[in-house]
Amino acid sequence: CIDLTDSEAGHNEIETLNGFPSLMSLELLTLEHNRINQPEDMKQLKLCRNLVELKLGGNPADEDKLMNHSSAD
């Protein structure tokens, strides 16, 4: 079991969150300046139940669109 509370994954050319692990302890995730283009991928982050801060700026998909999908049911 991984007890990770924050992750800096900016500037890594990440294109998708498909297969992103369910990190229950994760509170902060930085995904700025990657290549995330599919807002639907954000739904994967719902499995990170303790996530309180998500940074998505600088991705091809509009940040507002990404945020809306991360919180949508």
Side-chain angles (χ1 to χ4, degrees):
C1 180
I2 298 174
D3 196 22
L4 185 67
T5 58
D6 69 64
S7 179
E8 165 61 55
H11 300 276
N12 280 297
E13 299 186 19
I14 296 170
E15 295 180 358
T16 184
L17 295 179
N18 237 355
F20 189 83
S22 172
L23 300 172
M24 298 300 198
S25 300
L26 192 64
E27 296 174 1
L28 167 65
L29 178 60
T30 300
L31 292 169
E32 295 174 311
H33 304 286
N34 280 292
R35 295 182 178 181
I36 301 170
N37 196 27
Q38 299 300 320
E40 299 81 30
D41 285 356
M42 298 286 91
K43 291 181 181 177
Q44 186 71 25
L45 297 178
K46 284 185 167 188
L47 301 174
C48 302
R49 303 239 181 248
N50 289 324
L51 192 63
V52 293
E53 188 172 353
L54 178 60
K55 298 180 181 181
L56 295 167
N59 284 285
D62 177 78
E63 185 173 5
D64 288 334
K65 190 180 287 186
L66 290 173
M67 290 300 291
N68 287 339
H69 272 80
S70 70
S71 60
D73 286 324

